[in-house]
Amino acid sequence: MISELHFWQGEFIAETEAAERLAELPDLVRRALAEPLSTETVLIACDTVSRALQQPHSDVHTRLLAQLTGPAGATPPDPEEAAATLAELADALARPALERKLRRELGGPRPERFTRPDARETVYEAWAPVGLLVHIAPGNAAAVASLSVVEGLLAGNVNVLKTSSSDTALAPHLLAELAAADPTGAVGRRIVALRFPSSRQDLMRLMCEPADAVAVWGGEDAVRGVAALVPPGCRLVEWGHKISFAYLTREAATDRAALTALASDVCRAEQQACSSPQVVYLDVEPDAEPDTQPDGAAPVAATREALFAFAEQFAAVLDEVSAKHPGPRGADDAAEQAEITTTELVARAEQHLGLTKVLTADDGSWRVLADTRPALTASPLHRTVWIKPLPRRDILATLRPMRRYLQTASVAGTRADIAQLSRTLIAAGVQRITPLGAMLDSYHGEPHDGVYALQRYSRRVSVQATGAEFATTPCLDDLIAPTAPPAAPTGPLMDKAAAQARLSSLAPHHAQLYFRSGGTTGTPALSVFTCDDYDTQMRASAHGLLAAGFDPAHDRAANLFYSGSMYGSFISFFSILERLGATQIPMAAGPDHEAIAEALVEYQVDTLFGMPSYLWQLFHTQAERLRSYGGIRKVFYGGEHFTAEQRRILTETFGVQVIRSAAYGSTDLGPLGYQCTHARGTEHHVLTDLHTLEILDPQEDRPVPQGQPGRLVFTTRTRAGQHLERYQIGDLGRAVDGVCPCGSHTPRIELLGRYGEVFRMGTYHFNYRRFTQVAEEHLQYRGELQLVLTNETGREHLTVRLDDRYAPEPDTARTALLAHIPELGSAVGPEALLTCTVETAPTPAFERTPTSGKLRTVIDRRTPTA
């Protein structure tokens, strides 16, 4: 219906209204660009539609299939072709495909963010939209128009699409589904889809005059017509008509399997795609060199005979393949059919001169035209293919004059042939090389016509910042309040057991990196990542480390995290420091403290990365050497926390100036948060580029009031492999109100320990952190503390284990704990619900996880009672 021809920012409108609104297009663009579009928002909407299209009985699939197969003015595709088109769209709109495209073309899944390409400099770069991007779509590829707009959305542009009124209504209706899939409305506000003929120059002018870039499909006349309408400085992105061909060596020309694959390329899409083969070149050598033949001489007989013999062989194969893939006999359009007839008649006339040989199907479904002249000749399509000779030494001379029109070459030969011919053909102007049978295929992120579309639809912009205040600012966008936070996740909560159960169903390409947890709180858990997942996470962690005060331009770092047994700490921080371009000495934690201390001094290390328990041992076993060196200025830790007393000793005794968390994370989820230079205690910013955080009531599955403690539940958003949605990590925490003094608007949390650090004993609940707090405040204790729970004598017993280097007498320590932990005093008092002892022990006696070296804070050895 006329009233539904045009889609304008979320609604279908009539043609008269579309003309009126086009006059206001510049104002629309200004309003839309004032609201930045998050790539994450686009990815969510596209993936939502993709999932719906993958279900043949979904409402979305049904509605869009009707647009492809219903009346639209042009001859609609058959149902099978329509279903294949929707399957192609579902695949292209899936989040993994789009993320791969973003990584290939713009460097990462969040290209719009101002980050530091060189972490050693305070120069920020990002990809920004060109502004208003107009798409003038072709009529021979149903999916192209919609996907071009999706590319424009990924680049952040306001998009105006123009299709012909004779095309199907797939494009506007698919874009309407995308807009509906975004609850924020941001996607819909950047989409206008119009359907009118190019002869409506009034509408074309209103659409093109305010454009910052115009993407146009078509031949030279179409491109010239659009170029006349665009303003000076407007970027014209030409996706013009191209010619593709196959190139076969002598050996490959006798390979029937290769010829069958080539025939399939000819039949697919009736040669309507730019990548369809129109010519088949043979690497045939004349008996005499060309410069020994008189000008204008006919090709030697050997060349002609070999060419015509191959044409007959290929015609037989094409006949078989064409019969298996029946299509229309020629073109539906009268002008196209006339071109086919004319081309065939001319070729038949030239047979009498020995220049050509014409082979056609009895039913007119295909045509093979052998021509002894090598010049590139366009085919009239519809299963019409030229066969021509082209010795490899003549490729450049023959094809380079046509370089503007060349796209795909399918090459068949030996490995060496393919390598050599690919270089030669690309030098001649070819854009892509494929095997036979794969000319029309593509891969996610593949460049089109020699360029990346997203880069043509974007601008690379930069901000140079000076001053020390930017040294710890990894991303300028964090200094701006977000306009539309991601929607809260829904669905069931997931625990570690559920996450482990899903591993068996992962596809192999989603499981490329395997890590195991340290097993601090139980059996080590397996987590898997794709290489892209890992890279995204390490780059996010690198930004967090900058915020924490690490200076990759000057700091000399020793990586002393644990390594081996599939544990990820050492490997991860090696990757993080590598991405920062930092100087690092990757030593890993080891038992030979003396050798490590010697290396720290020899290599002038001033920054340490490692577990607090290990670093604490290193400082004290090598106290004299490290105090004498006095060069350790920064300590970045992970997995555990230093107590306030330990921090005081490191600062006053060893001269450490910065003690800060290197990252908050887990093996399951990867990095979760980071500390800035203003963070206190266990406060961390959340890595919102990677995750969405919920804080739920400890007992019920509902959000806690702002600022109240609860369970930390994370949903990963940038992970193609192991999906973890509403994952209960096992930590407790609370949200920190207000904007951080560092200026970042990313949310903050205060970590309050793990579930396992809160235990019930003698009818009371105890928190491990309360024991460490009392020991530190009332006993000036600065060592490690471990709790052991048993019930061997029929009564529950609590053992508090202290480091004998720093502990007071056990009785003194016990008295202080009973006095300052009221629940403990009551439980061991007159009620006698449990017994409590304090023991002192050397550091090696403390139990640790073998993989990570972490201290086991609470060891529950109680056996269930009958």
Side-chain angles (χ1 to χ4, degrees):
M1 295 176 60
I2 295 296
S3 60
E4 295 184 348
L5 279 179
H6 311 290
F7 179 75
W8 193 285
Q9 292 187 302
E11 60 178 337
F12 284 94
I13 61 174
E15 185 169 349
T16 54
E17 189 174 358
E20 295 173 359
R21 294 194 185 190
L22 274 175
E24 302 173 358
L25 192 56
D27 291 334
L28 178 154
V29 174
R30 282 194 292 270
R31 291 193 300 270
L33 291 177
E35 175 193 2
L37 178 63
S38 167
T39 307
E40 176 68 17
T41 301
V42 179
L43 290 174
I44 291 174
C46 289
D47 197 56
T48 300
V49 174
S50 172
R51 292 171 185 267
L53 287 176
Q54 292 169 15
Q55 303 172 21
H57 302 295
S58 70
D59 292 341
V60 173
H61 190 281
T62 301
R63 287 193 294 266
L64 295 181
L65 187 63
Q67 297 303 324
L68 272 174
T69 57
T75 301
D78 62 45
E80 282 191 17
E81 184 179 343
T85 297
L86 294 187
E88 175 189 349
L89 285 167
D91 187 48
L93 293 174
R95 180 165 188 144
L98 295 180
E99 285 188 341
R100 182 174 181 178
K101 185 178 185 68
L102 285 165
R103 286 188 178 94
R104 281 182 180 247
E105 302 190 25
L106 300 182
R110 296 295 301 276
E112 76 275 17
R113 288 173 61 79
F114 272 105
T115 57
R116 290 152 62 166
D118 186 338
R120 296 165 295 185
E121 302 172 348
T122 54
V123 173
Y124 301 84
E125 292 185 6
W127 288 98
V130 292
L132 172 58
L133 174 60
V134 173
H135 311 257
I136 300 177
N140 63 341
V144 166
S146 306
L147 295 181
S148 184
V149 172
V150 169
E151 290 174 329
L153 289 169
L154 289 172
N157 292 291
V158 178
N159 297 270
V160 177
L161 169 67
K162 181 264 174 192
T163 62
S164 172
S165 56
S166 62
D167 292 336
T168 70
L170 173 67
H173 283 271
L174 176 61
L175 296 175
E177 298 290 352
L178 282 177
D182 171 30
T184 71
V187 170
R189 287 190 287 275
R190 295 192 179 227
I191 298 175
V192 171
L194 308 173
R195 299 175 66 213
F196 60 86
S198 297
S199 59
R200 286 293 306 271
Q201 290 292 290
D202 55 333
L203 299 182
M204 290 285 290
R205 187 170 290 103
L206 288 172
M207 184 176 63
C208 291
E209 284 182 346
D212 298 290
V214 176
V216 55
W217 281 260
E220 293 179 338
D221 291 341
V223 172
R224 277 196 297 267
V226 173
L229 299 175
V230 301
C234 177
R235 182 183 299 179
L236 190 63
V237 182
E238 300 179 34
W239 306 114
H241 289 326
K242 301 291 183 180
I243 297 178
S244 298
F245 58 88
Y247 191 93
L248 280 63
T249 64
R250 280 183 177 270
E251 294 76 14
T254 61
D255 184 345
R256 187 171 181 85
L259 299 188
T260 300
L262 175 58
S264 297
D265 281 337
V266 173
C267 293
R268 289 172 63 186
E270 300 301 314
Q271 293 177 293
Q272 295 298 301
C274 289
S275 57
S276 297
Q278 299 188 38
V279 179
V280 177
Y281 278 119
L282 295 183
D283 183 14
V284 291
E285 294 281 356
D287 291 341
E289 295 296 325
D291 56 6
T292 66
Q293 301 179 44
D295 292 341
V300 296
T303 300
R304 183 170 56 247
E305 290 174 4
L307 190 73
F308 291 171
F310 172 80
E312 292 182 357
Q313 182 184 3
F314 182 67
V317 174
L318 181 59
D319 187 57
E320 291 181 8
V321 173
S322 185
K324 295 177 182 177
H325 304 280
R329 299 179 183 182
D332 295 320
D333 182 79
E336 291 180 339
Q337 186 59 55
E339 183 183 4
I340 293 173
T341 302
T342 300
T343 301
E344 183 180 337
L345 289 175
V346 171
R348 288 188 181 279
E350 292 182 328
Q351 283 188 126
H352 302 291
L353 303 176
L355 296 175
T356 61
K357 184 178 182 66
V358 178
L359 303 164
T360 63
D362 294 338
D363 61 1
S365 60
W366 56 263
R367 287 150 295 279
V368 173
L369 311 176
D371 187 345
T372 56
R373 293 158 294 189
L376 186 68
T377 306
S379 160
L381 310 181
H382 301 283
R383 306 191 186 189
T384 305
V385 62
W386 290 98
I387 310 293
K388 289 172 172 280
L390 182 58
R392 64 181 67 191
R393 66 167 177 266
D394 295 338
I395 288 176
L396 278 169
T398 302
L399 295 181
R400 183 157 172 74
M402 301 292 289
R403 61 190 177 274
R404 292 182 56 226
Y405 305 99
L406 302 180
Q407 194 209 63
T408 300
S410 182
V411 180
T414 66
R415 287 199 306 160
D417 287 331
I418 291 172
Q420 179 189 25
L421 290 169
S422 294
R423 277 293 176 192
T424 305
L425 290 167
I426 287 172
V430 170
Q431 305 293 354
R432 62 193 291 263
I433 308 292
T434 74
L436 297 177
M439 296 184 71
L440 278 70
D441 298 335
S442 62
Y443 56 86
H444 297 308
E446 182 178 17
H448 183 65
D449 287 354
V451 297
Y452 280 141
L454 293 185
Q455 292 185 4
R456 300 295 300 276
Y457 296 169
S458 304
R459 297 173 294 138
R460 189 63 174 172
V461 293
S462 65
V463 174
Q464 298 182 50
T466 58
E469 66 270 24
F470 287 100
T472 57
T473 303
C475 178
L476 289 181
D477 300 87
D478 290 341
L479 304 180
I480 306 170
T483 54
T490 58
L493 297 176
M494 180 187 297
D495 58 14
K496 184 177 293 187
Q500 294 296 297
R502 288 191 179 185
L503 289 176
S504 60
S505 62
L506 279 181
H509 64 278
H510 284 159
Q512 297 169 328
L513 291 175
Y514 286 71
F515 294 107
R516 283 199 181 275
S517 64
T520 308
T521 58
T523 304
L526 178 68
S527 292
V528 297
F529 301 81
T530 68
C531 292
D532 284 339
D533 293 340
Y534 179 75
D535 179 68
T536 298
Q537 293 190 345
M538 295 306 99
R539 292 185 184 279
S541 285
H543 293 162
L545 203 53
L546 288 176
F550 180 75
D551 181 358
H554 301 99
D555 293 346
R556 298 176 60 83
N559 184 348
L560 296 177
F561 280 102
Y562 281 81
S563 180
S565 301
M566 297 168 62
Y567 189 59
S569 291
F570 175 84
I571 297 172
S572 296
F573 277 94
F574 179 90
S575 300
I576 292 166
L577 293 170
E578 179 186 38
R579 281 156 177 76
L580 289 172
T583 300
Q584 65 167 311
I585 293 83
M587 302 176 68
D592 192 344
H593 294 168
E594 182 177 357
I596 288 177
E598 288 178 356
L600 297 180
V601 176
E602 179 179 358
Y603 299 118
Q604 296 295 291
V605 170
D606 55 25
T607 303
L608 302 184
F609 286 82
M611 295 286 185
S613 56
Y614 181 80
L615 297 179
W616 185 249
Q617 294 175 57
L618 176 65
F619 272 107
H620 282 78
T621 59
Q622 301 298 311
E624 184 176 348
R625 187 190 302 270
L626 294 179
R627 277 199 303 266
S628 176
Y629 170 51
I632 306 299
R633 298 182 297 105
K634 297 179 181 180
V635 169
F636 293 98
Y637 61 87
E640 304 167 318
H641 296 284
F642 284 108
T643 67
E645 186 65 15
Q646 289 173 332
R647 290 170 178 267
R648 186 185 67 80
I649 295 297
L650 292 179
T651 301
E652 296 179 1
T653 304
F654 296 96
V656 178
Q657 300 169 11
V658 174
I659 303 171
R660 199 161 286 133
S661 169
Y664 165 50
S666 74
T667 304
D668 314 79
L669 291 161
L672 300 168
Y674 64 92
Q675 285 199 326
C676 67
T677 55
H678 293 267
R680 297 176 300 176
T682 61
E683 291 179 359
H684 287 76
H685 289 270
V686 178
L687 281 168
T688 52
D689 277 0
L690 304 179
H691 311 283
T692 298
L693 170 65
E694 302 170 83
I695 304 180
L696 303 183
D697 184 89
Q699 305 301 327
E700 301 178 19
D701 295 341
R702 58 176 176 80
V704 298
Q706 181 68 22
Q708 294 299 307
R711 293 171 291 158
L712 301 185
V713 178
F714 288 90
T715 295
T716 61
R717 297 199 312 275
T718 58
R719 194 147 163 194
Q722 185 181 11
H723 288 289
L724 297 177
E725 299 167 354
R726 306 197 77 196
Y727 183 73
Q728 302 178 90
I729 191 173
D731 286 344
L732 301 170
R734 69 173 187 88
V736 179
D737 294 336
V739 177
C740 182
C742 75
S744 174
H745 286 261
T746 56
R748 292 178 293 160
I749 53 173
E750 180 185 5
L751 301 177
L752 302 175
R754 294 189 60 80
Y755 299 169
E757 293 183 350
V758 178
F759 57 93
R760 184 178 178 86
M761 201 172 199
T763 74
Y764 290 96
H765 282 93
F766 297 96
N767 191 320
Y768 167 82
R769 290 177 178 251
R770 182 60 176 151
F771 285 82
T772 61
Q773 180 184 9
V774 169
E776 181 180 333
E777 294 179 355
H778 299 281
L779 298 172
Q780 287 70 54
Y781 179 70
R782 58 180 183 269
E784 295 176 313
L785 185 150
Q786 193 169 65
L787 302 179
V788 182
L789 318 182
T790 58
N791 60 351
E792 296 176 359
T793 61
R795 178 182 295 179
E796 292 183 314
H797 183 78
L798 173 63
T799 301
V800 182
R801 185 175 293 161
L802 303 176
D803 190 330
D804 59 12
R805 292 174 298 177
Y806 313 108
E809 290 296 322
D811 289 343
T812 302
R814 181 178 184 276
T815 300
L817 292 172
L818 296 179
H820 297 286
I821 303 178
E823 299 87 353
L824 183 61
S826 298
V828 302
E831 300 181 29
L833 298 174
L834 60 85
T835 57
C836 175
T837 59
V838 174
E839 68 177 30
T840 60
T843 299
F846 285 72
E847 296 186 33
R848 306 178 191 278
T849 57
T851 302
S852 67
K854 288 183 185 179
L855 177 71
R856 294 185 62 191
T857 55
V858 180
I859 304 169
D860 194 342
R861 293 204 177 105
R862 291 175 291 182
T863 57
T865 58

